[in-house]
Structure formats: C-alpha cells, structure tokens
Amino acid sequence: MILYKFLSRPSCGNACATRCALIIAIWALLWASHSAFASDLFPFVLPWDDAGPSVANVSDWSDKPAGAHGFVEARGGHLFAGEKRIRFFGVNVAFGGNFPTHPDAEKIAARMAKFGINCVRFHHMDTGITPNGLLQKDKRTLDPEMLDRLDYFIAQLKKNGIYTDLNLHVGREYPGFKKWEGAPGYFKGVDNFFPPMIALQHEYAQALLTHLNPYTGMAYTDEPAVAFVEINNENGLMNEWNNKALDAMPDPYAADLRRQWNEWLSKKYGSDQKLAASWNQDANAGSADISPRLGEINIFQRKEITSRPPAAQRDWHRFLFDTEMGYWTGMRQFIRDELHAHSLVVGSAAGYSPWPIQAMLDVVDAHAYWQHPHFPHRPWDPNDWTVNNIPMAGEPNGGTLPGLAMMRVADKPFIVTEYNHPAPNTYSSEAFLELCAVAALQDWDGVFAFAYSHRMDQWDAERIPNFFDIDQHPTKMTTLPAAVALFLRGDIQAPEPHIAETTLDDAVELVDKSNSWSNASAYGIRRGETFQHPVAMRIGNATTPVSLVAKSETSGIASDNGELTWDPTSRRMLIKSPKSVCVVGTLHSGETIDLGGVSIIPGATLQNWAALTVTVMEGADFKTATRLLVTATGSVENTDMHWKDASRNSVGSDYGKAPSRLEGIPATITLSLSGKYKAWALDERGARKSEVPLKSGNGTLSIELSPEQKTLWWEIAAEGLDAKK
C-alpha cells in the first residue's frame, strides 16, 4: 500500500521523484531481504504428544511418582524430597491449559516428563468461568467438570514424577464488589486488607485444598505431590499504594482501611496527646501544630504523602507494612494450621510485595521477562503491540538475571515461577539456557517457564501460538534437555556465596523510603556479581554492606569456578563445565570458540547469532562420554508470519500459520574423544533420522552441522551403542 501511494501520486519535480525512487528502492530491499530470510528457514514441528525414547528424553532424571519421598521440605535454605535435595524446572499452565481432557492429560504429562519438566504451576484457574476456568458463574463455586479435569491432570503429572504448584488467587474479580476508575486489576492490594475479600480467599482455598482427588485418593492438603501452594499472584498492598492505585479508592474499602489505620495508631500511641507530640516534633518549622484525633485520621494518599510531617509519613508506611505482613502471614497460618495443608506456602513474587515480608513465608519467589510485550494504547490489544527483537546474551547490564538474583534471601529456598523471552523474538532460544545456567550458578531451587500452554485444546497447533506458550515453540523445547542438565543435574556448580546483611528495622525503613522493590543492591551487591557467584541478602544483627572489588560491567565476567562467562564485549554467554558446554550469542563465521575439551567453529548465520550446546548424556565427562546431545538453534517464525516493518518487533495479529519454520545453523564441533563413534541428525521426536559422518584423528572427533540436515539436534554415540529404548 505504501508503494502504491508513492507510485500513484502526482508528479512533484526531479527532487521529489528522486526521493520517491529512493524510498521505493529501500522498501524493495527490505522486503527482498525478508523474503530471502524466510526462504532460508525449514519446517520443524515437535509432536505435542511424543514421549518416546531418545537421547533427548530425560524423564528418568525425576523420581516417580512425585511425592514418593514425602512432602517437599525447606531445610538449610533449600528444598528436599526426603533426604535428597530437589530442584525444579517447571512450567505454567494458564486459563484453559489447566483443564485438558483425560486422554490429552495423559499425553501432555508424559511429554513434559520427557523434556525434564518436574513441576507444573496451575495459574489463572480462578480468572475465567467454566469452561475456561475452575469457577461457575457465581465465581464462588468450583465447577465439577473442570475440577475433574484438573484432578486427572494432576494425577497424571504425579505418575510421571511431576509435582504441582497450586495458585489460589490470581485473576478472580471478587463477586459482589464494585471497582472504581483507576482501580488495580483483580483488586490487588485491596484484598490484602479488606476482610470480606480475605474471607472469600479462605473459602476458595478451603474448597480447593480440602477437596478429595478421586484419582489419587488424597485431598490436596495431604498430597505430597503438591510442592507449593501460592497465596496471591503479583500482589501487594504497599506496591499498589505506591503506584497511586489506591488514591481514589472509595468506601467501603477506604472506610475499612481508615478503621484499621486508626486502630494501629491507637495501639501505638494510646492518646491524642502522645500522637500529636510525635507528629509535631519534626514538623516543618513555623507551621501550625497538628492536632490529630485518634479515630478520625484519614488514610494518606500517595500523591500527597510528602505534605505530611515526617513522623506521620513513617507511621503510615509502617502501618502499611504491618498490615501487609499480617495478611501474608495470616493466610499462611490459615492454610497450614486451619486447613492442615502440608505443602510449602509461597506468598507472591518479591517486589510486588517487600522481600522482608515474603521472607516470612516458606519460599521466596520472583518473576522476570526479557522484552515483555508492550502495548502502547490499550492493554493486551492483539493488533497493537511490540516485542523488542533483541538478544539478551552478553547484555552489559546482565538483562533480567541480576534483578532476579538480587531478590534472593539467604537461608530461604528461592524459586522463579515466571520467566520467558516472549515470541516472536527471533533470538528466544537463548531464554532457558541462560536462565538455567545462572540459576545453577546462583544455587536457586526452582525456575519455571511461563507458560507451557494457555490452551484447553488445540495442543497440536504445529506453530508458535502466542507470546508465551512454549509447548509448540521448536527452539525453546529443543534446548530444554540441555538447559535442565545445567540446572537439575547440576552441570554448573555454585561457588561460595556473597551475602549482604541488614537488620529488620533497616530493611523495613528502606522499603518505607523507596518502595517494595528494594533488594540486595542497596547493601552493596553489584549486578555483575550475578555471573561470578551466588548473591543474597539476609536479616542479621547489623547492616553491613559488603565491599567487593568492582569489575567492569562492559568486559567479560567469569564465574569464580570458571564455568560461566558473561561477555558484553562479544555479546555472548559461554558455558564450560565437565558435562556441558554452550555458546549463546553473537557469532562470527570461521572463528574458533574454545570451550576446553570442545571447540566450536560456527558458519554464517542469518542473524550472526546462534545458541549451540553439547551435553554429555552418558559418561562422567567429555573424555569418557559414550553418548552426547548436540543442539544448534537460531531464528524461528511461523509460516507466512508477516512482520509489520524492518524492525521485526511486531506481527500484530498476523502470527502466520503452521508449520513453524526455523534456521539451520552451520558449525564444526570438535571433541577431545578417541575411539569409534557414530552421529545422527535427529528428527522432530529426537529419534535418529540420518547418519552424519564424523572425522577423527589425533585424539579428536569432529561433526559438521549443516542446514541441509534440517534439524536442531544431533546424537553422538559410541559405536555399537543402540538408540535409547
């Protein structure tokens, strides 16, 4: 249409004609380059229901059934199943994805286990009503059919060694309560203090958790395969107040918060005289004395808080903190002591709620996304959005990972229950390799992809369906076995941690002065340390900011054990460990990347970028390996996906059609292996498709990866070693 407008406009002289010709040439070049790019892609679809044996099947890394060793427990700051430490690589299911049919549930659970997934977070069950949600139209009663589907799915997950994380409140708009203009979504913050909403949360928790699953014979309160119960997603009173979302809050919500505020003040001061003395002691000089009257003091709005005396501001912030703390600890007490649930209780993602509060629960959680979709005009407009199409590998500030690490609390298990690099980012195969590498180095306890699926059916989409679902995303799924090897198997070891300490009073004061997103950076931890050693903060006897030698954020940062390098200069991440090597990021054709016993020489790629991994699947290390998995991933998109412009940051609603198509990565990989080996390009199931020649000599073995092989993964195995059965 743009070309038509230029070609059909009236003549405007030589200068204008030259500009028009230049614009036409530029657009022709852009579309020609897009066509050339698309023509270099080949179709590759991983079957939605495949759980067959292959070198990529790591289901035997998880004990079966889930919960066989009893409930997951928190000990020494980590998670244990019996006497064995357990880590989780999990996924979310959301909306209709929580409720597959029975036949589908069997296949989905088995496929998840194949890729190393060992926990599922059930998210947004309460947002919609049946058939896309767990609730009936009254938004209070559990729907029998949806509950039956949920029960069967959880039973199938348990059978396959996959634990469950049950979310309570996520997206339910509490029935019977009106919102106001500018109100926070799902009554966030309000439901931290408003008793009728807390009562509805109790009602829902009791109905779900005490329900007997007929397929396991256990109530969820007694089900050891339920690792976590999460109270309230991305929610916190202080955060919503800081965002001014409660400034226009009307009665009855404001009236109840006002009542609680005055009760808090009465308990602290006991009389109008003591309150007035405190608030007047550091009021602005020359201002009239304040004569507050207990029982009549209005709640403070965020927009006018600075006009209050400093002592009054401190009281208000501490009241919010105490009120929010009472909500989270009260909900935990209800779940554990009144409902008698044995699972670990998670509050909400730290930052949405202050970390000193979340540290009072059993597990600390955090969320992050690299280049989350941006909606410039209307939230979640399917036509009007952008996802910046840039890679994270080697990002000078570390991208999303340092912010997550800064939220970790020492002596508490730490999990990240939402993470992704949303589609259609063409570099997104890096997502879980980077996350799992840093999670292992940081000694975290769980990471979760958001999401496996939002879809109740249409599991066989054969295309990337939306921003978040990974179940039909070929490069994200193909790299999972290598990623979970880094984290679940512990191929990257954690060095000695650096921990910053602060007192509870100082931590609370920092939250009061800044906001609920305060973290370890306030106590001397630097972002670059994320790639050196574990970092965390803890409540101690004194605030003692750590003093460490600063390292440049713009040069390569190597972990203390030498197994991970984050290199902003070369814009890449390197992994070099005894059983896993990896390069993710910018590559130059013909360069040699030395990873110890493995070297990689990449060829030309469409984006001068790729993610390549070599993982020992059988054997103690690369010198003794008898079976290895190789993956090589780059750009991916759906057939006939149409980018809006050359920035390739949006396709609007034109996501294209099946099948998904992707780039073949050329590379030569040389291993320090001697003996007789064979190699195969693998099909979409990870089974042997066609043999690939190997070159050997001088104690080395080389394989040539080629786009003509039309695959993302390869198997190398000692001669005579059969395909996995």
Side-chain angles (χ1 to χ4, degrees):
M1 182 179 292
I2 294 175
L3 293 178
Y4 173 80
K5 287 181 178 178
F6 276 107
L7 291 171
S8 61
R9 65 184 296 175
S11 175
C12 54
N14 291 337
C16 185
T18 300
R19 287 195 298 271
C20 290
L22 180 60
I23 291 171
I24 291 171
I26 291 172
W27 272 99
L29 179 61
L30 290 174
W31 283 109
S33 65
H34 174 267
S35 299
F37 189 101
S39 68
D40 290 328
L41 307 180
F42 61 89
F44 199 83
V45 174
L46 277 65
W48 74 277
D49 57 354
D50 168 52
S54 76
V55 64
N57 188 324
V58 296
S59 59
D60 58 355
W61 292 2
S62 297
D63 293 338
K64 300 175 182 63
H69 303 293
F71 281 91
V72 175
E73 297 179 350
R75 296 201 298 268
H78 293 297
L79 300 176
F80 286 81
E83 297 305 311
K84 180 182 177 182
R85 184 175 173 189
I86 188 170
R87 281 174 164 167
F88 291 111
F89 183 90
V91 293
N92 287 256
V93 287
F95 298 98
N98 293 287
F99 315 109
T101 64
H102 288 200
D104 286 354
E106 296 170 4
K107 297 172 183 177
I108 295 163
R111 185 191 190 232
M112 286 180 174
K114 170 179 178 172
F115 284 92
I117 294 163
N118 65 348
C119 194
V120 170
R121 181 176 183 244
F122 286 86
H123 194 60
H124 275 294
M125 291 191 295
D126 65 332
T127 305
I129 60 173
T130 180
N132 292 310
L134 187 56
L135 293 168
Q136 295 184 351
K137 290 182 179 180
D138 64 0
K139 295 186 179 180
R140 295 182 65 175
T141 307
L142 303 184
D143 182 81
E145 180 183 353
M146 296 300 105
L147 187 58
D148 177 78
R149 289 189 179 199
L150 176 70
D151 288 340
Y152 193 79
F153 192 15
I154 289 174
Q156 288 299 309
L157 294 171
K158 177 181 180 178
K159 174 183 175 182
N160 284 274
I162 302 173
Y163 287 80
T164 289
D165 175 353
L166 287 174
N167 290 191
L168 297 178
H169 184 255
V170 179
R172 177 168 61 144
E173 297 284 9
Y174 301 100
F177 297 100
K178 293 183 178 180
K179 300 190 73 172
W180 65 95
E181 186 176 353
Y186 315 128
F187 285 105
K188 292 184 179 186
V190 181
D191 63 1
N192 285 201
F193 71 83
F194 191 54
M197 291 182 182
I198 296 174
L200 285 172
Q201 293 176 62
H202 286 184
E203 177 185 81
Y204 180 86
Q206 182 169 13
L208 177 61
L209 299 180
T210 63
H211 159 74
L212 183 74
N213 183 335
Y215 303 105
T216 63
M218 293 183 180
Y220 289 121
T221 52
D222 301 319
E223 175 55 77
V226 176
F228 310 108
V229 173
E230 183 178 321
I231 296 171
N232 208 333
N233 177 66
E234 295 185 350
N235 197 313
L237 172 60
M238 296 192 77
N239 186 56
E240 296 301 330
W241 182 84
N242 268 306
N243 289 339
K244 301 181 182 179
L246 306 184
D247 278 7
M249 180 173 63
D251 292 342
Y253 320 113
D256 208 283
L257 189 61
R258 184 165 54 248
R259 172 187 63 79
Q260 295 179 46
W261 168 225
N262 281 273
E263 289 175 355
W264 187 92
L265 290 170
S266 295
K267 183 177 181 180
K268 179 175 182 178
Y269 292 106
S271 69
D272 292 343
Q273 292 77 13
K274 290 182 179 179
L275 174 61
S278 173
W279 285 14
N280 283 316
Q281 66 180 343
D282 54 2
N284 294 332
S287 62
D289 282 351
I290 300 170
S291 301
R293 297 181 55 116
L294 291 172
E296 299 179 5
I297 302 172
N298 206 355
I299 58 178
F300 294 176
Q301 294 181 334
R302 177 66 181 85
K303 63 184 180 182
E304 50 84 46
I305 186 69
T306 56
S307 67
R308 305 284 183 169
Q313 294 183 43
R314 289 193 295 271
D315 279 345
W316 174 254
H317 287 301
R318 185 55 61 90
F319 160 70
L320 291 178
F321 185 94
D322 289 351
T323 302
E324 183 169 338
M325 178 178 63
Y327 164 74
W328 295 110
T329 57
M331 283 295 299
R332 182 191 182 278
Q333 184 273 331
F334 176 77
I335 293 166
R336 295 296 297 269
D337 298 342
E338 296 190 38
L339 299 184
H340 305 292
H342 296 86
S343 305
L344 297 173
V345 178
V346 183
S348 194
Y352 294 94
S353 175
W355 73 266
I357 292 177
Q358 292 305 304
M360 297 177 185
L361 287 92
D362 299 328
V363 178
V364 176
D365 184 16
H367 296 169
Y369 294 83
W370 173 249
Q371 305 304 329
H372 191 282
H374 171 64
F375 301 89
H377 300 106
R378 182 169 61 90
W380 299 106
D381 187 326
N383 297 300
D384 186 16
W385 55 268
T386 58
V387 170
N388 290 333
N389 195 25
I390 55 177
M392 191 177 80
E395 177 71 18
N397 70 2
T400 59
L401 302 172
L404 288 171
M406 296 289 187
M407 282 295 184
R408 184 183 174 199
V409 179
D411 308 318
K412 285 284 182 178
F414 183 74
I415 60 178
V416 175
T417 59
E418 291 187 23
Y419 190 86
N420 210 335
H421 294 201
N425 187 312
T426 58
Y427 305 93
S428 58
S429 62
E430 67 181 344
F432 303 114
L433 293 169
E434 291 165 347
L435 176 66
C436 285
V438 169
L441 183 76
Q442 287 294 318
D443 207 16
W444 297 345
D445 298 281
V447 294
F448 290 66
F450 188 89
Y452 191 77
S453 178
H454 288 64
R455 311 178 316 279
M456 183 185 299
D457 48 24
Q458 298 180 338
W459 294 98
D460 196 16
E462 298 187 343
R463 61 189 281 275
I464 302 168
N466 52 47
F467 298 124
F468 302 112
D469 290 356
I470 72 167
D471 66 311
Q472 292 285 280
H473 195 296
T475 63
K476 288 179 180 177
M477 292 301 297
T478 302
T479 54
L480 282 194
V484 299
L486 296 172
F487 182 55
L488 293 189
R489 195 171 69 176
D491 285 8
I492 293 179
Q493 296 293 304
E496 287 296 311
H498 283 199
I499 300 173
E501 291 198 354
T502 184
T503 66
L504 178 60
D505 285 343
D506 284 354
V508 174
E509 184 178 356
L510 180 61
V511 171
D512 294 348
K513 289 180 177 178
S514 54
N515 55 49
S516 60
W517 291 88
S518 64
N519 59 36
S521 64
Y523 311 112
I525 300 291
R526 298 179 178 88
R527 292 180 66 88
E529 289 187 67
T530 300
F531 307 105
Q532 295 176 294
H533 41 245
V535 298
M537 52 191 167
R538 68 157 62 103
I539 300 298
N541 296 321
T543 298
T544 54
V546 294
S547 178
L548 302 173
V549 176
K551 292 198 174 184
S552 172
E553 301 278 336
T554 58
S555 62
I557 304 172
S559 62
D560 293 351
N561 58 18
E563 293 182 343
L564 184 153
T565 299
W566 190 264
D567 189 348
T569 301
S570 298
R571 297 306 298 260
R572 62 175 60 149
M573 179 188 76
L574 302 176
I575 301 297
K576 182 173 62 175
S577 79
K579 296 181 77 170
S580 289
V581 298
C582 174
V583 56
V584 179
T586 300
L587 303 178
H588 305 289
S589 180
E591 69 170 320
T592 299
I593 302 168
D594 184 4
L595 299 172
V598 181
S599 68
I600 298 175
I601 302 175
T605 61
L606 295 176
Q607 303 179 113
N608 296 319
W609 188 98
L612 295 106
T613 74
V614 186
T615 306
V616 175
M617 305 304 287
E618 295 178 18
D621 52 32
F622 281 103
K623 293 182 180 179
T624 62
T626 57
R627 197 187 306 268
L628 304 101
L629 174 66
V630 176
T631 70
T633 55
S635 184
V636 59
E637 60 183 54
N638 292 329
T639 299
D640 293 337
M641 178 182 281
H642 291 126
W643 300 96
K644 285 192 170 182
D645 56 44
S647 64
R648 296 167 63 84
N649 65 2
S650 182
V651 298
S653 59
D654 195 358
Y655 254 84
K657 62 186 181 183
S660 50
R661 298 169 61 84
L662 40 82
E663 172 188 11
I665 303 298
T668 301
I669 298 177
T670 302
L671 302 105
S672 298
L673 274 177
S674 58
K676 294 182 178 180
Y677 288 80
K678 287 188 174 183
W680 295 266
L682 305 179
D683 66 13
E684 289 87 344
R685 297 175 182 269
R688 295 173 179 177
K689 178 176 66 170
S690 58
E691 189 170 349
V692 176
L694 292 174
K695 296 180 181 179
S696 60
N698 299 321
T700 65
L701 197 71
S702 295
I703 181 173
E704 297 279 348
L705 312 185
S706 167
E708 285 71 32
Q709 295 158 2
K710 297 190 183 306
T711 189
L712 301 180
W713 45 12
W714 294 257
E715 177 184 359
I716 302 174
E719 191 171 286
L721 197 62
D722 292 336
K724 291 193 71 175
K725 297 180 180 179

